[in-house]
């Protein structure tokens, strides 16, 4: 007896090639942290009080790192534009995700951090005029994005996201601290503006952004601290995010120091003197709390590492926030004349270099392997109920 074989149906033809932009489908706004962390290595290094920044070797190294941050910014802006153009479903999902939406503040801080390094370092390669223009363009764009994020993200959290006090996370600070970065870096542009109204307007606008960011941080930080004390440590992968609390602390200390540096000749004498007093009376206690939080966060990170924490993009939280403490300690060293702050600046900068080297190496390795750009791993299906007949 011959059994007839059933003819197999033809294989379907490929109707279209897979999109070339698949690699950026899961590229979220959190990737701007790489730009921020790289730019702060250069920017903070340029402010070190006891390092010969104008010596050829150190200055060339810092300028190279700044140039790298500029290239990274261009690459990420392009990749994120492709993400929005070809994967709008994922882009909308990021906005509606309470864990991802706050990272839109990182775009603002990346623009500001790269622009701020232009007049200090980029001038060596592109000239002072081009460096100032670049800083002005990136400062304007970064400030606009930062102010928009500071309003839009809390709005989304209030009306679209479903969050509770138990969900409080240091990530919530990201859109709120972006205007503080504008406040700290904006005074660098003051000397390049015409004397009179233009300089005073920019300086006081920076003071206003300092105030709005500081007050928003003071409202949010107790939620984060309370959640940590009552709810216990965060998940292992999110533990590095505790370092984000250092951002508004170090950046606000940097900002008041920058106000004091440029205020003479821009505002009336009593106010200029008031800025100088504020730089010390505000900066010293806030830096003290920053060191307290640094110790607490570091202890929790060590605990998480011993329990199996491995690399994630949250490790970039070890870079930019620590860099703001470097610039804040440097500002205190300049305004108090205390050698202790010089030592603190160098110790924090050494910590920043180690953190950046580790994060950059692990990120490069994850990009080469494709692990960092892969989508979330789908959950394994559960066992089916045993309803079939058995013989």
């Amino acid at each position: 007896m011959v059994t007839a074989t059933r003819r197999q149906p033809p294989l379907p033809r490929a109707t279209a090639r897979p999109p070339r932009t698949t690699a950026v489908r899961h590229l979220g706004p959190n990737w701007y942290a790489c730009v921020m962390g790289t730019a702060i290595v250069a920017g903070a290094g340029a402010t070190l009080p006891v390092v010969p920044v104008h010596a050829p070797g150190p200055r060339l190294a810092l300028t190279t790192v700044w140039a790298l941050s500029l290239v990274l910014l261009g690459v990420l802006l392009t990749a994120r534009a492709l993400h929005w153009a070809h994967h709008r479903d994922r882009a909308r999902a990021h906005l509606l995700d309470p864990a991802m939406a706050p990272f839109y503040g990182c775009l603002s801080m990346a623009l500001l951090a790269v622009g701020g390094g232009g007049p200090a370092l980029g001038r060596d390669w592109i000239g002072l005029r081009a460096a100032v223009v670049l800083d002005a363009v990136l400062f304007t764009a970064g400030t606009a994005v930062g102010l928009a994020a500071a309003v839009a993200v809390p709005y989304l959290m209030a009306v679209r996201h479903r969050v509770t006090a138990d969900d409080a996370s240091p990530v919530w600070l990201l859109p709120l601290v972006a205007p503080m970065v504008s406040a700290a870096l904006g005074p660098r542009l003051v000397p390049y503006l015409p004397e009179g109204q233009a300089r005073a307007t920019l300086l006081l606008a920076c003071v206003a952004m300092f105030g709005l960011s500081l007050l928003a941080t003071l409202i949010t930080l107790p939620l984060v601290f309370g959640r940590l004390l009552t709810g216990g440590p965060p998940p292992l992968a999110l533990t590095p995010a505790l370092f984000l609390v250092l951002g508004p602390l170090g950046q606000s200390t940097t900002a008041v120091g920058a106000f004091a540096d440029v205020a003479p000749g821009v505002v009336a004498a009593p106010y200029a003197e008031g800025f100088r007093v504020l730089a010390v009376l505000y900066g010293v206690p806030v830096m003290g709390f920053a060191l307290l939080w640094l110790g607490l966060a570091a202890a929790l990170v060590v605990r998480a590492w011993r329990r199996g924490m491995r690399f994630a993009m949250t490790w970039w939280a070890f870079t930019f926030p620590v860099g703001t403490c470097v610039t804040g300690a440097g500002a205190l060293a300049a305004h108090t004349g205390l050698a202790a702050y010089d030592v603190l600046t160098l110790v924090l900068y050494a910590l920043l270099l180690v953190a950046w080297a580790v994060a950059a190496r692990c990120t490069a390795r994850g990009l080469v392997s494709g692990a960092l750009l892969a989508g979330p791993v789908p959950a394994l299906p559960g066992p089916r109920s045993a309803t079939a007949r058995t013989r």
Side-chain angles (χ1 to χ4, degrees), residues 2 4 27 60 69 83 107 111 114 122 128 136 138 148-149 154-155 168 200 222 229 264 313 327 357 363 367:
V2 178
L27 186 74
L60 176 60
S69 71
H83 174 82
L107 169 58
L111 294 168
V114 174
L128 178 60
L138 294 182
Y155 174 82
L229 296 182
M313 288 299 291
T327 56
T363 301
L367 285 173

Side-chain angles (χ1 to χ4, degrees), residues 16 21 59 130 306 335 343:
T21 59
R59 189 165 183 85
R306 295 178 63 182
H335 288 281
V343 174

Side-chain angles (χ1 to χ4, degrees), residues 76-134:
L76 271 175
L77 288 174
T78 303
R80 287 286 296 164
L82 292 173
H83 174 82
W84 270 96
H86 298 279
H87 304 287
R88 293 184 182 178
D89 60 325
R90 292 302 306 160
R92 293 192 187 97
H94 287 161
L95 279 174
L96 297 178
D97 183 357
M100 184 62 71
F103 284 98
Y104 273 89
C106 291
L107 169 58
S108 167
M109 291 184 279
L111 294 168
L112 293 165
V114 174
L121 296 168
R123 61 189 296 176
D124 293 353
W125 289 2
I126 63 177
L128 178 60
R129 181 179 179 83
V132 172
V133 171
L134 176 65

Side-chain angles (χ1 to χ4, degrees), residues 245-276:
V245 175
L246 298 175
L249 303 176
Q251 201 67 274
S252 61
T253 304
T254 305
V256 293
F259 300 158
D261 291 338
V262 302
V266 176
V267 295
Y271 303 110
E273 179 64 19
F275 280 124
R276 191 182 69 81

Side-chain angles (χ1 to χ4, degrees), residues 217-239:
T217 299
L218 292 177
I219 293 173
T220 307
L221 187 55
L223 297 176
V224 177
F225 199 18
R227 162 63 183 81
L228 179 64
L229 296 182
T230 60
L236 298 183
L238 295 180
T239 303

Side-chain angles (χ1 to χ4, degrees), residues 179-380:
M180 186 67 78
V181 180
S182 294
L185 296 178
R188 298 184 183 185
L189 288 171
V190 169
Y192 300 103
L193 293 177
E195 295 183 3
Q197 289 285 323
R199 293 186 178 184
T201 299
L202 177 57
L203 175 59
L204 294 184
C206 291
V207 176
M209 288 187 286
F210 166 85
L212 73 89
S213 180
L214 177 63
L215 293 177
T217 299
L218 292 177
I219 293 173
T220 307
L221 187 55
L223 297 176
V224 177
F225 199 18
R227 162 63 183 81
L228 179 64
L229 296 182
T230 60
L236 298 183
L238 295 180
T239 303
L242 292 171
F243 274 68
L244 294 176
V245 175
L246 298 175
L249 303 176
Q251 201 67 274
S252 61
T253 304
T254 305
V256 293
F259 300 158
D261 291 338
V262 302
V266 176
V267 295
Y271 303 110
E273 179 64 19
F275 280 124
R276 191 182 69 81
V277 173
L278 179 66
V280 176
L281 295 186
Y282 173 88
V284 171
V286 170
M287 183 56 64
F289 180 71
L291 294 177
L292 168 67
W293 190 272
L294 176 61
L296 174 62
L300 288 170
V301 165
V302 171
R303 174 186 179 276
W305 174 259
R306 295 178 63 182
R307 282 164 172 75
M309 182 188 74
R310 292 299 178 259
F311 175 74
M313 288 299 291
T314 51
W315 282 32
W316 283 97
F318 297 142
T319 58
F320 190 81
V322 174
T324 66
C325 292
V326 173
T327 56
L332 287 175
H335 288 281
T336 63
L338 294 178
Y341 284 115
D342 288 334
V343 174
L344 177 62
T345 302
L346 293 176
V347 171
L348 290 174
Y349 190 71
L351 177 62
L352 170 62
L353 288 179
V354 172
W356 178 82
V358 172
R361 177 179 176 273
C362 293
T363 301
R365 186 170 58 186
L367 285 173
V368 172
S369 67
L372 288 180
L373 292 177
V377 179
L380 295 175

Side-chain angles (χ1 to χ4, degrees), residues 26-40:
H26 302 285
L27 186 74
N30 56 322
W31 277 82
Y32 286 112
C34 302
V35 181
M36 297 162 51
T38 303
I40 199 69

